[in-house]
Amino acid sequence: MFTKAFILKKIGQILLHLLFWIVVLFFFTNFFGVEKATYEDTLKFSLFLMPITIATTYVASYKLIPDYLITKQYWRFALYTSYTLIISLYLLFVSIFFSLIYISNFEYADMNPLTKNVLFITTAVYLVVIVVSAFKLLKLNLKQSKNNAELEAKILEAQLKLKEQELHYLKMQIHPHFLFNTLNTMYGFALKKADDTPDMILKLSNLLDYLLYQTEKPSVLLSEEIAHIQDYIDLEKMRFNDTLDVSFHIDIPSESVTIAPMLLLPFIENSFKHGSLIDRQLKIDIQLSAHSHMIDFRIENSNSENTEQQHGIGLDNIKKRLELLYANQYHLEIMNQNDKFSVQLQLHISNHD
């Protein structure tokens, strides 16, 4: 069922077309009204030309251009355009005979000079066809450009949603792994009824708050990430006791530096989980500095096995997150040597401040 707005729109279009063809009729009447031609005779000739002009114009603008030219079916466009030209030229020749027979009563000398000339007649008719077709072509191109822009916007929106979903999925893969380690440590302290248990619960509470709420943000202050890294290290110190030798060197001149949440912590977690005890000690050295628009993060842990064991799901997820969040803005180097495993991450943060 047609709506009122649709009906009004169609009525407006019809009235606009009628107005346009009235203007064309006025143009024809004045164009052919020269010398001794009477207004009545010129009007009759112009009225005879109108159906030819209207038919040719609508065929070109509503069939040939949208169905064949815009869709790049050039052979069909050329073929059907040729047919249209042949038929319209034939009808234009008929208009000359109409002028001769019905207007001049077979008196060639009494004919309007311009109605004798096929060139003037075709020029007048095809001028209208060309102008309307050019306008139609411009309108279709603008519509196509708008549709392309809308399509690109939808594609970008879909890509953004996919990116967000992938990031969320990667975070969810990190979270259970991280929670398992920290909860396991707390369980061990609870069994021992250690005096450090309340402090451990507080640190774990801070980490859980960071994990559940802060990681939903696109970025956090680097100082916040460092604080929770420190909490994690303190928890691991409680678990390892004297078997852990960890150093954490920080050089962050500015407090305004930001970073994607949970980006560095998985590297540290990986070192604690996969690092090896050498001479009954797990050695971990962490260095973090931020200058200008660059974050430089380095971590090294003792390793007794020259294998790819430490290249687990955690590091793979971090690589994917880096590619999604900092594409072409980071350099990651992972080295697995005989006695140590090291990671160096250089991160350009100019677009994330």
Side-chain angles (χ1 to χ4, degrees):
M1 185 176 179
F2 297 120
T3 63
K4 183 178 179 180
F6 177 81
I7 294 173
L8 291 175
K9 181 180 178 181
K10 287 299 178 182
I11 292 174
Q13 289 177 345
I14 292 172
L15 292 175
L16 189 63
H17 281 229
L18 285 174
L19 178 62
F20 173 77
W21 291 120
I22 290 172
V23 172
V24 172
L25 178 61
F26 178 79
F27 164 70
F28 281 172
T29 304
N30 285 274
F31 183 78
F32 295 111
V34 297
E35 297 183 3
K36 60 180 180 178
T38 64
Y39 183 82
E40 182 181 353
D41 290 344
T42 306
L43 180 60
K44 288 179 181 179
F45 183 76
S46 300
L47 286 170
F48 187 86
L49 283 182
M50 289 302 295
I52 304 171
T53 308
I54 293 172
T56 307
T57 301
Y58 282 150
V59 168
S61 59
Y62 286 96
K63 187 64 180 178
L64 298 177
I65 292 175
D67 289 359
Y68 304 115
L69 183 61
I70 293 297
T71 58
K72 298 181 180 180
Q73 300 181 53
Y74 298 122
W75 284 108
R76 288 189 175 184
F77 174 75
L79 178 63
Y80 294 134
T81 299
S82 299
Y83 291 160
T84 304
L85 286 173
I86 292 170
I87 295 171
S88 61
L89 283 172
Y90 168 75
L91 293 174
L92 291 178
F93 276 106
V94 171
S95 69
I96 297 176
F97 287 102
F98 171 81
S99 177
L100 175 64
I101 298 171
Y102 292 99
I103 298 178
S104 302
N105 296 318
F106 292 96
E107 295 293 337
Y108 185 78
D110 293 337
M111 289 181 64
N112 184 332
L114 292 186
T115 62
K116 301 176 184 179
N117 193 319
V118 177
L119 179 61
F120 278 100
I121 296 173
T122 54
T123 299
V125 172
Y126 289 133
L127 178 63
V128 175
V129 175
I130 291 171
V131 169
V132 175
S133 298
F135 178 78
K136 183 68 174 182
L137 185 60
L138 177 62
K139 185 178 178 180
L140 289 173
N141 284 333
L142 291 175
K143 184 179 179 180
Q144 186 67 33
S145 299
K146 182 180 178 181
N147 291 337
N148 289 339
E150 291 177 353
L151 181 61
E152 289 177 2
K154 289 180 180 179
I155 292 173
L156 289 174
E157 184 180 359
Q159 290 176 340
L160 180 60
K161 288 182 179 179
L162 287 174
K163 179 179 177 181
E164 290 175 350
Q165 290 175 357
E166 186 172 359
L167 283 171
H168 181 71
Y169 172 72
L170 293 174
K171 288 179 183 178
M172 290 304 294
Q173 284 187 312
I174 295 171
H175 295 175
H177 188 195
F178 169 72
L179 283 174
F180 175 80
N181 285 339
T182 53
L183 288 174
N184 187 54
T185 302
M186 189 178 76
Y187 175 71
F189 268 74
L191 289 178
K192 296 177 183 178
K193 297 181 180 180
D195 295 336
D196 293 332
T197 302
D199 184 44
M200 181 180 181
I201 293 174
L202 179 62
K203 292 181 182 296
L204 181 58
S205 175
N206 292 335
L207 282 170
L208 288 175
D209 177 75
Y210 185 64
L211 188 69
L212 294 173
Y213 300 108
Q214 302 303 315
T215 54
E216 297 300 322
K217 299 178 180 179
S219 62
V220 296
L221 290 174
L222 182 58
S223 57
E224 293 181 17
E225 181 87 355
I226 292 172
H228 291 92
I229 289 174
Q230 190 62 61
D231 283 342
Y232 180 84
I233 292 173
D234 290 342
L235 287 171
E236 293 290 36
K237 283 181 178 179
M238 295 177 187
R239 183 167 70 91
F240 278 88
N241 293 321
D242 296 334
T243 61
L244 179 64
D245 180 12
V246 59
S247 59
F248 189 14
H249 302 283
I250 305 169
D251 182 15
I252 311 294
S254 174
E255 292 292 328
S256 63
V257 178
T258 60
I259 191 173
M262 286 288 292
L263 195 66
L264 302 180
L265 190 56
F267 288 118
I268 297 169
E269 180 192 9
N270 186 76
S271 292
F272 278 101
K273 181 179 180 181
H274 296 290
S276 302
L277 273 67
I278 297 180
D279 297 331
R280 297 182 179 180
Q281 263 198 339
L282 171 62
K283 294 184 178 181
I284 298 177
D285 179 45
I286 307 168
Q287 298 183 27
L288 178 60
S289 62
H291 300 284
S292 184
H293 296 299
M294 173 79 73
I295 292 177
D296 191 355
F297 172 76
R298 303 166 189 261
I299 183 168
E300 180 181 295
N301 63 265
S302 55
N303 183 27
S304 61
E305 298 179 1
N306 187 17
T307 66
E308 296 297 318
Q309 183 180 6
Q310 289 195 227
H311 291 274
I313 187 173
L315 292 182
D316 289 338
N317 287 343
I318 288 299
K319 291 177 183 177
K320 292 177 182 177
R321 288 187 68 201
L322 284 169
E323 193 59 35
L324 286 170
L325 295 169
Y326 297 93
N328 302 318
Q329 293 181 292
Y330 76 94
H331 173 73
L332 178 64
E333 185 176 357
I334 300 176
M335 292 182 292
N336 192 4
Q337 300 176 351
N338 290 331
D339 57 350
K340 66 181 179 179
F341 182 89
S342 62
V343 174
Q344 179 180 354
L345 173 65
Q346 292 180 328
L347 198 65
H348 296 274
I349 55 174
S350 56
N351 293 336
H352 297 267
D353 289 351

